[in-house]
């Protein structure tokens, strides 16, 4: 019997006829978003226009804004929408740099070697603007030593902005928010939290600390549209200025006509997510899959960051010694399973993971790694089927 048909009969949740295990790269559209679009009664007016059609669009933006502030308990923060975390984080870093430049202040940006490329690759621009860009090393477990970071920051002089990634997109390792809040208290530098991989990976409720200066999210990681994201900015913050200048939309924090449909999809997706997410079920599924792989293959596979104190509920990052990432991905692909090797790369080419190598793994290890990132709706029955399929495929490569 054809694999997909067989799986359908035993009710694995298929997405477009695929077993989709690449949620850290992106998620499929939430049903509520899909239904809204296909119903067809979409607003079209420019939200800045004062006629009824414009007001209808504006109302949807306001609804999303209010919902997001309430959902994250950040009522007193400002929020601006953008095309996703890459843009949002560039706005924050370069907006900070512009502000320091205009005030002729010395400035630093600090991040960790395991941070996303949209952070690491700003080094050149920040240095061009006269700032210092610091990339701190990280241990093989992928865990951040917060006290060491605090010590490092306190030895710098000038204006400082640090990026703290709440959940790493490749390893699934968490930098706990209370440690980040402690860092803020002990350094008083500006703190940006990259919260892109939070939703669907950590338990609800998502109550965020008011002590942090910025939080950035991308909608496509939790069922909203691709190309829309949002950043919370602490109310009254005066050591940051907006990067994108134009018509002054969004309180001039990000000019340009708003992506009304994308912005409303954020609310729709989060409402659906909140109603359906079962953290325990997801965590049990991940643990079952991980234990099954360890039981079957023992030391022939290595689970990255397995002993880290805080890991998320959906990510398993594996090194399969002797196997090649591209061949493993192709074998899974042919069996109807989508997974990847780490961060999604724009070229579609598979490069050895920069993140793994920054944690001290060799290039050979990085070329033998694959990442499974589970949907937030999985339960034990479904993962049992997926697990046996993966074991069958991996067995061909592990002798
Ligand atoms: N930060 C993290 C942790 C991510 O995982 C990603 C995307 O994978 C980004 C930032 C960038 O998000 P986007 O590609 O939506 O701009």
């Amino acid at each position: 019997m054809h694999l997909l048909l067989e799986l359908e009969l035993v009710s694995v949740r298929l997405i477009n006829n695929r077993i989709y295990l690449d949620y850290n790269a992106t998620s499929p559209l939430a049903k509520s978003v899909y239904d809204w679009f296909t119903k067809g009664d979409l607003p079209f007016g420019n939200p800045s226009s004062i006629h009824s059609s414009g007001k209808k669009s504006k109302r949807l933006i306001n609804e999303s804004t209010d919902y997001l502030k309430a959902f994250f308990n950040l009522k007193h923060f400002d929020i601006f929408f953008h095309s996703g975390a890459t843009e949002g984080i560039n706005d924050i870093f370069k907006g900070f740099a512009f502000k320091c430049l205009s005030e002729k202040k010395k400035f630093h940006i600090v991040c960790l070697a395991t941070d996303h490329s949209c952070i690491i690759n700003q080094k050149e621009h920040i240095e061009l603007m006269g700032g210092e860009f610091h990339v701190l090393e990280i241990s093989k477990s992928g865990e951040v030593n917060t006290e060491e970071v605090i010590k490092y920051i306190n030895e710098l002089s000038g204006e400082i902005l640090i990026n703290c990634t709440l959940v790493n997109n490749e390893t699934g390792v968490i930098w706990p928010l209370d440690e980040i809040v402690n860092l803020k208290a002990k350094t008083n530098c500006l703190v940006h939290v990259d919260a892109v991989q939070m939703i669907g990976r950590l338990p609800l409720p998502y109550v965020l600390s008011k002590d942090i200066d910025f939080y950035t999210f991308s909608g496509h990681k939790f069922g909203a549209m691709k190309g829309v994201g949002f950043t919370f900015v602490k109310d009254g913050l005066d050591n940051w200025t907006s990067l994108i200048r134009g018509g002054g939309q969004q309180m001039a924090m990000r000019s340009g006509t708003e992506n009304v449909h994308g912005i409303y999809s954020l609310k729709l997706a989060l409402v659906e997510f909140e109603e359906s997410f079962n953290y325990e079920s997801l965590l049990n599924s991940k643990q079952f899959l991980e234990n099954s792989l360890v039981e079957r293959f023992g030391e022939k596979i290595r689970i990255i960051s397995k002993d880290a104190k805080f890991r998320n509920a959906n990510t398993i990052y594996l090194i399969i010694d002797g196997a090649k990432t591209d061949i493993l991905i192709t074998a899974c692909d042919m069996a109807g399973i989508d997974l990847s090797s780490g961060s999604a790369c724009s070229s579609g080419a598979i490069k050895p993971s920069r993140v793994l190598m920054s944690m001290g793994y060799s290039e050979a290890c990085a070329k033998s790694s694959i990442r499974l990132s589970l949907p937030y709706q999985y339960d034990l029955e479904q993962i049992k089927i997926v697990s046996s399929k993966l074991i069958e495929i991996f067995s061909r490569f592990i002798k």
Side-chain angles (χ1 to χ4, degrees):
M1 194 187 307
H2 187 274
L3 170 68
L4 291 178
L5 183 58
E6 187 189 327
L7 288 170
E8 255 172 318
L9 290 177
V10 285
S11 80
V12 171
R13 189 170 186 278
L14 297 179
I15 298 156
N16 286 350
N17 281 331
R18 306 286 296 174
I19 297 175
Y20 184 72
L21 308 180
D22 202 12
Y23 267 62
N24 289 9
T26 196
S27 62
L29 274 188
K31 185 176 178 307
S32 52
V33 177
Y34 178 85
D35 287 348
W36 185 58
F37 273 100
T38 50
K39 215 171 112 210
D41 180 25
L42 299 173
F44 61 88
N46 186 317
S48 298
S49 302
I50 58 168
H51 48 60
S52 299
S53 299
K55 282 183 182 153
K56 192 171 170 193
S57 293
K58 186 72 181 169
R59 239 188 339 266
L60 295 191
I61 295 177
N62 290 343
E63 247 185 65
S64 269
T65 302
D66 293 346
Y67 181 82
L68 292 171
K69 287 185 180 182
F71 185 83
F72 293 103
N73 201 27
L74 290 176
K75 290 212 174 68
H76 301 297
F77 274 57
D78 293 322
I79 193 169
F80 71 94
F81 299 100
H82 41 62
S83 64
T86 299
E87 183 191 320
I89 295 172
N90 271 269
D91 285 348
I92 297 304
F93 280 28
K94 290 176 194 155
F96 163 74
F98 267 127
K99 183 81 180 169
C100 295
L101 258 180
S102 68
E103 292 171 2
K104 299 190 173 30
K105 286 180 178 161
K106 188 175 170 193
F107 65 99
H108 304 263
I109 285 189
V110 179
C111 65
L112 283 108
T114 43
D115 284 343
H116 192 269
S117 304
C118 71
I119 292 149
I120 300 285
N121 289 343
Q122 291 194 56
K123 183 176 191 305
E124 192 189 343
H125 283 176
I126 297 300
E127 287 175 349
L128 266 176
M129 294 162 89
E132 282 185 34
F133 197 91
H134 308 254
V135 182
L136 307 190
E137 287 180 2
I138 200 147
S139 70
K140 204 157 189 174
S141 72
E143 292 169 295
V144 183
N145 184 329
T146 310
E147 288 305 320
E148 274 181 16
V149 179
I150 292 171
K151 193 163 168 278
Y152 187 93
I153 290 175
N154 282 338
E155 281 167 10
L156 300 174
S157 65
E159 302 295 300
I160 303 163
L161 167 65
I162 181 171
N163 178 72
C164 302
T165 300
L166 198 58
V167 180
N168 184 275
N169 51 306
E170 293 200 26
T171 62
V173 172
I174 298 166
W175 189 353
L177 192 57
D178 52 359
E179 286 189 25
I180 300 174
V181 170
N182 180 37
L183 178 149
K184 169 81 190 174
K186 289 190 175 157
T187 61
N188 202 29
C189 67
L190 281 180
V191 177
H192 171 262
V193 171
D194 175 345
V196 168
Q197 297 286 347
M198 171 188 187
I199 299 167
R201 288 87 172 146
L202 301 186
L204 283 163
Y206 297 146
V207 177
L208 296 178
S209 166
K210 295 169 184 60
D211 295 332
I212 299 299
D213 304 287
F214 310 96
Y215 294 93
T216 296
F217 294 82
S218 254
H220 68 103
K221 306 291 183 183
F222 57 88
M225 284 171 69
K226 296 186 188 5
V228 64
F230 54 102
T231 295
F232 285 106
V233 182
K234 199 185 209 163
D235 180 37
L237 201 70
D238 61 6
N239 32 10
W240 173 76
T241 181
S242 66
L243 179 69
I244 309 285
R245 300 300 169 101
Q249 291 91 339
Q250 305 201 60
M251 295 170 15
M253 285 188 290
R254 198 277 201 176
S255 286
T257 304
E258 297 91 330
N259 171 2
V260 180
H261 304 133
I263 292 170
Y264 194 60
S265 79
L266 297 166
K267 178 191 165 184
L268 291 174
L270 270 185
V271 169
E272 181 176 327
F273 168 77
E274 198 177 10
E275 283 165 0
S276 61
F277 184 50
N278 184 334
Y279 175 79
E280 290 306 322
S281 168
L282 176 59
L283 186 63
N284 290 340
S285 302
K286 184 189 96 162
Q287 281 166 346
F288 179 88
L289 177 55
E290 203 164 280
N291 293 341
S292 308
L293 293 171
V294 170
E295 229 168 72
R296 173 66 180 78
F297 299 116
E299 288 177 357
K300 290 177 181 158
I301 62 164
R302 281 182 271 170
I303 297 173
I304 293 153
S305 304
K306 189 167 190 317
D307 298 323
K309 196 164 167 202
F310 301 104
R311 285 175 70 202
N312 76 357
N314 88 324
T315 309
I316 304 175
Y317 203 12
L318 298 170
I319 294 175
I320 302 184
D321 287 315
K324 292 269 170 289
T325 300
D326 48 352
I327 295 174
L328 284 166
I329 291 177
T330 307
C332 290
D333 191 16
M334 288 168 72
I337 303 174
D338 292 328
L339 39 77
S340 74
S341 65
S343 189
C345 177
S346 58
S347 66
I350 296 172
K351 287 192 192 149
S353 159
R354 165 185 62 76
V355 167
L356 272 188
M357 293 200 285
S358 74
M359 289 162 62
Y361 287 93
S362 67
E363 187 171 336
C365 285
K367 283 181 172 165
S368 300
S369 64
I370 51 167
R371 180 191 65 188
L372 316 172
S373 50
L374 306 182
Y376 18 84
Q377 311 87 345
Y378 260 27
D379 62 27
L380 214 46
E381 286 318 303
Q382 298 183 82
I383 205 72
K384 280 181 184 166
I385 298 159
V386 170
S387 162
S388 66
K389 293 297 162 198
L390 286 174
I391 286 175
E392 192 261 305
I393 297 166
F394 293 168
S395 302
R396 293 187 232 146
F397 299 92
I398 303 175
K399 300 293 168 221

PDB file of all heavy atoms in Angstrom, residues 24-25 84-87 89 116 118 165 167 169 194 196-197 218 220-221, ligand 1:
ATOM      1  N   ASN A  24       9.802  24.794  12.563  1.00  0.00           N
ATOM      2  CA  ASN A  24      10.689  25.911  12.928  1.00  0.00           C
ATOM      3  C   ASN A  24      11.069  26.733  11.701  1.00  0.00           C
ATOM      4  O   ASN A  24      11.468  27.885  11.822  1.00  0.00           O
ATOM      5  CB  ASN A  24      11.941  25.402  13.649  1.00  0.00           C
ATOM      6  CG  ASN A  24      11.615  24.900  15.047  1.00  0.00           C
ATOM      7  OD1 ASN A  24      10.439  24.778  15.402  1.00  0.00           O
ATOM      8  ND2 ASN A  24      12.627  24.593  15.830  1.00  0.00           N
ATOM      9  N   ALA A  25      10.939  26.116  10.512  1.00  0.00           N
ATOM     10  CA  ALA A  25      11.161  26.883   9.274  1.00  0.00           C
ATOM     11  C   ALA A  25       9.930  27.731   8.993  1.00  0.00           C
ATOM     12  O   ALA A  25      10.023  28.933   8.774  1.00  0.00           O
ATOM     13  CB  ALA A  25      11.442  25.949   8.106  1.00  0.00           C
ATOM     14  N   GLY A  84       8.165  40.847   8.922  1.00  0.00           N
ATOM     15  CA  GLY A  84       8.675  39.647   9.585  1.00  0.00           C
ATOM     16  C   GLY A  84       9.881  40.006  10.432  1.00  0.00           C
ATOM     17  O   GLY A  84      10.402  41.124  10.386  1.00  0.00           O
ATOM     18  N   ALA A  85      10.335  39.021  11.200  1.00  0.00           N
ATOM     19  CA  ALA A  85      11.375  39.305  12.202  1.00  0.00           C
ATOM     20  C   ALA A  85      12.655  39.854  11.587  1.00  0.00           C
ATOM     21  O   ALA A  85      13.329  40.681  12.205  1.00  0.00           O
ATOM     22  CB  ALA A  85      11.669  38.047  13.003  1.00  0.00           C
ATOM     23  N   THR A  86      12.990  39.441  10.379  1.00  0.00           N
ATOM     24  CA  THR A  86      14.229  39.944   9.774  1.00  0.00           C
ATOM     25  C   THR A  86      14.164  41.463   9.664  1.00  0.00           C
ATOM     26  O   THR A  86      15.106  42.171  10.051  1.00  0.00           O
ATOM     27  CB  THR A  86      14.452  39.304   8.384  1.00  0.00           C
ATOM     28  OG1 THR A  86      14.565  37.885   8.571  1.00  0.00           O
ATOM     29  CG2 THR A  86      15.698  39.838   7.708  1.00  0.00           C
ATOM     30  N   GLU A  87      13.046  41.961   9.175  1.00  0.00           N
ATOM     31  CA  GLU A  87      12.899  43.418   9.080  1.00  0.00           C
ATOM     32  C   GLU A  87      12.826  44.047  10.472  1.00  0.00           C
ATOM     33  O   GLU A  87      13.497  45.050  10.754  1.00  0.00           O
ATOM     34  CB  GLU A  87      11.639  43.794   8.279  1.00  0.00           C
ATOM     35  CG  GLU A  87      11.529  45.307   8.130  1.00  0.00           C
ATOM     36  CD  GLU A  87      10.172  45.761   7.594  1.00  0.00           C
ATOM     37  OE1 GLU A  87       9.619  45.112   6.686  1.00  0.00           O
ATOM     38  OE2 GLU A  87       9.673  46.776   8.104  1.00  0.00           O
ATOM     39  N   ILE A  89      13.968  43.117  13.320  1.00  0.00           N
ATOM     40  CA  ILE A  89      15.226  43.117  14.080  1.00  0.00           C
ATOM     41  C   ILE A  89      16.226  44.085  13.440  1.00  0.00           C
ATOM     42  O   ILE A  89      16.980  44.774  14.130  1.00  0.00           O
ATOM     43  CB  ILE A  89      15.761  41.670  14.230  1.00  0.00           C
ATOM     44  CG1 ILE A  89      14.774  40.845  15.087  1.00  0.00           C
ATOM     45  CG2 ILE A  89      17.150  41.658  14.858  1.00  0.00           C
ATOM     46  CD1 ILE A  89      15.059  39.354  15.183  1.00  0.00           C
ATOM     47  N   HIS A 116      20.149  33.955  15.163  1.00  0.00           N
ATOM     48  CA  HIS A 116      19.725  33.833  13.759  1.00  0.00           C
ATOM     49  C   HIS A 116      20.572  34.746  12.859  1.00  0.00           C
ATOM     50  O   HIS A 116      21.056  35.791  13.298  1.00  0.00           O
ATOM     51  CB  HIS A 116      18.242  34.222  13.663  1.00  0.00           C
ATOM     52  CG  HIS A 116      17.624  33.860  12.357  1.00  0.00           C
ATOM     53  ND1 HIS A 116      17.606  34.723  11.283  1.00  0.00           N
ATOM     54  CD2 HIS A 116      17.017  32.725  11.943  1.00  0.00           C
ATOM     55  CE1 HIS A 116      16.993  34.136  10.268  1.00  0.00           C
ATOM     56  NE2 HIS A 116      16.626  32.919  10.642  1.00  0.00           N
ATOM     57  N   CYS A 118      19.715  36.840  10.755  1.00  0.00           N
ATOM     58  CA  CYS A 118      19.232  38.222  10.621  1.00  0.00           C
ATOM     59  C   CYS A 118      19.809  39.109  11.727  1.00  0.00           C
ATOM     60  O   CYS A 118      19.685  40.329  11.669  1.00  0.00           O
ATOM     61  CB  CYS A 118      17.693  38.284  10.598  1.00  0.00           C
ATOM     62  SG  CYS A 118      16.896  37.925  12.156  1.00  0.00           S
ATOM     63  N   THR A 165      17.965  35.530  22.353  1.00  0.00           N
ATOM     64  CA  THR A 165      17.035  34.655  21.639  1.00  0.00           C
ATOM     65  C   THR A 165      16.373  33.727  22.649  1.00  0.00           C
ATOM     66  O   THR A 165      17.049  32.935  23.311  1.00  0.00           O
ATOM     67  CB  THR A 165      17.782  33.855  20.545  1.00  0.00           C
ATOM     68  OG1 THR A 165      18.354  34.796  19.637  1.00  0.00           O
ATOM     69  CG2 THR A 165      16.844  32.929  19.795  1.00  0.00           C
ATOM     70  N   VAL A 167      14.119  31.204  22.268  1.00  0.00           N
ATOM     71  CA  VAL A 167      14.187  29.779  21.909  1.00  0.00           C
ATOM     72  C   VAL A 167      15.006  29.683  20.628  1.00  0.00           C
ATOM     73  O   VAL A 167      14.661  30.323  19.624  1.00  0.00           O
ATOM     74  CB  VAL A 167      12.783  29.194  21.645  1.00  0.00           C
ATOM     75  CG1 VAL A 167      12.883  27.716  21.288  1.00  0.00           C
ATOM     76  CG2 VAL A 167      11.863  29.400  22.837  1.00  0.00           C
ATOM     77  N   ASN A 169      16.227  28.483  17.177  1.00  0.00           N
ATOM     78  CA  ASN A 169      15.477  27.825  16.100  1.00  0.00           C
ATOM     79  C   ASN A 169      16.088  26.501  15.658  1.00  0.00           C
ATOM     80  O   ASN A 169      15.399  25.642  15.136  1.00  0.00           O
ATOM     81  CB  ASN A 169      15.363  28.766  14.887  1.00  0.00           C
ATOM     82  CG  ASN A 169      16.699  29.330  14.458  1.00  0.00           C
ATOM     83  OD1 ASN A 169      17.418  29.922  15.259  1.00  0.00           O
ATOM     84  ND2 ASN A 169      17.049  29.139  13.209  1.00  0.00           N
ATOM     85  N   ASP A 194      14.435  38.100  20.839  1.00  0.00           N
ATOM     86  CA  ASP A 194      13.967  37.444  19.622  1.00  0.00           C
ATOM     87  C   ASP A 194      13.063  36.302  20.078  1.00  0.00           C
ATOM     88  O   ASP A 194      13.536  35.267  20.547  1.00  0.00           O
ATOM     89  CB  ASP A 194      15.187  36.927  18.839  1.00  0.00           C
ATOM     90  CG  ASP A 194      14.779  36.111  17.615  1.00  0.00           C
ATOM     91  OD1 ASP A 194      13.603  35.714  17.526  1.00  0.00           O
ATOM     92  OD2 ASP A 194      15.651  35.849  16.759  1.00  0.00           O
ATOM     93  N   VAL A 196      10.768  34.783  18.178  1.00  0.00           N
ATOM     94  CA  VAL A 196      10.176  34.176  16.977  1.00  0.00           C
ATOM     95  C   VAL A 196       9.773  32.722  17.200  1.00  0.00           C
ATOM     96  O   VAL A 196       8.746  32.265  16.711  1.00  0.00           O
ATOM     97  CB  VAL A 196      11.178  34.301  15.794  1.00  0.00           C
ATOM     98  CG1 VAL A 196      10.755  33.459  14.616  1.00  0.00           C
ATOM     99  CG2 VAL A 196      11.305  35.760  15.381  1.00  0.00           C
ATOM    100  N   GLN A 197      10.596  31.988  17.964  1.00  0.00           N
ATOM    101  CA  GLN A 197      10.325  30.544  18.119  1.00  0.00           C
ATOM    102  C   GLN A 197       9.625  30.239  19.439  1.00  0.00           C
ATOM    103  O   GLN A 197       9.741  29.133  19.960  1.00  0.00           O
ATOM    104  CB  GLN A 197      11.637  29.757  18.028  1.00  0.00           C
ATOM    105  CG  GLN A 197      12.336  29.864  16.694  1.00  0.00           C
ATOM    106  CD  GLN A 197      11.659  29.052  15.582  1.00  0.00           C
ATOM    107  OE1 GLN A 197      10.790  28.213  15.842  1.00  0.00           O
ATOM    108  NE2 GLN A 197      12.043  29.294  14.338  1.00  0.00           N
ATOM    109  N   SER A 218       7.452  36.629  14.294  1.00  0.00           N
ATOM    110  CA  SER A 218       7.100  36.458  12.878  1.00  0.00           C
ATOM    111  C   SER A 218       5.830  35.613  12.794  1.00  0.00           C
ATOM    112  O   SER A 218       5.774  34.522  13.383  1.00  0.00           O
ATOM    113  CB  SER A 218       8.214  35.704  12.140  1.00  0.00           C
ATOM    114  OG  SER A 218       8.943  36.569  11.320  1.00  0.00           O
ATOM    115  N   HIS A 220       4.450  33.782  10.459  1.00  0.00           N
ATOM    116  CA  HIS A 220       4.376  32.481   9.763  1.00  0.00           C
ATOM    117  C   HIS A 220       4.860  31.312  10.609  1.00  0.00           C
ATOM    118  O   HIS A 220       4.766  30.170  10.193  1.00  0.00           O
ATOM    119  CB  HIS A 220       5.150  32.542   8.434  1.00  0.00           C
ATOM    120  CG  HIS A 220       6.640  32.671   8.579  1.00  0.00           C
ATOM    121  ND1 HIS A 220       7.484  31.603   8.404  1.00  0.00           N
ATOM    122  CD2 HIS A 220       7.441  33.725   8.883  1.00  0.00           C
ATOM    123  CE1 HIS A 220       8.739  32.003   8.568  1.00  0.00           C
ATOM    124  NE2 HIS A 220       8.732  33.291   8.864  1.00  0.00           N
ATOM    125  N   LYS A 221       5.366  31.601  11.813  1.00  0.00           N
ATOM    126  CA  LYS A 221       5.775  30.499  12.690  1.00  0.00           C
ATOM    127  C   LYS A 221       4.594  29.961  13.489  1.00  0.00           C
ATOM    128  O   LYS A 221       4.721  28.982  14.209  1.00  0.00           O
ATOM    129  CB  LYS A 221       6.873  30.949  13.662  1.00  0.00           C
ATOM    130  CG  LYS A 221       8.080  31.584  13.026  1.00  0.00           C
ATOM    131  CD  LYS A 221       8.938  30.614  12.229  1.00  0.00           C
ATOM    132  CE  LYS A 221      10.163  31.339  11.687  1.00  0.00           C
ATOM    133  NZ  LYS A 221      11.022  30.522  10.840  1.00  0.00           N
TER     134      LYS A 221
HETATM  135  N1  LIG B   1      14.786  34.701  14.526  1.00  0.00           N
HETATM  136  C1  LIG B   1      14.582  33.385  14.644  1.00  0.00           C
HETATM  137  C2  LIG B   1      14.896  32.713  15.941  1.00  0.00           C
HETATM  138  C3  LIG B   1      14.070  32.653  13.564  1.00  0.00           C
HETATM  139  O1  LIG B   1      13.866  31.348  13.702  1.00  0.00           O
HETATM  140  C4  LIG B   1      13.787  33.334  12.362  1.00  0.00           C
HETATM  141  C5  LIG B   1      13.291  32.577  11.191  1.00  0.00           C
HETATM  142  O2  LIG B   1      13.508  31.392  11.064  1.00  0.00           O
HETATM  143  C6  LIG B   1      14.000  34.712  12.291  1.00  0.00           C
HETATM  144  C7  LIG B   1      14.500  35.362  13.392  1.00  0.00           C
HETATM  145  C8  LIG B   1      13.688  35.485  11.038  1.00  0.00           C
HETATM  146  O3  LIG B   1      12.322  35.416  10.754  1.00  0.00           O
HETATM  147  P1  LIG B   1      11.751  35.750   9.291  1.00  0.00           P
HETATM  148  O4  LIG B   1      12.447  34.815   8.342  1.00  0.00           O
HETATM  149  O5  LIG B   1      10.303  35.468   9.393  1.00  0.00           O
HETATM  150  O6  LIG B   1      12.062  37.156   8.995  1.00  0.00           O
END
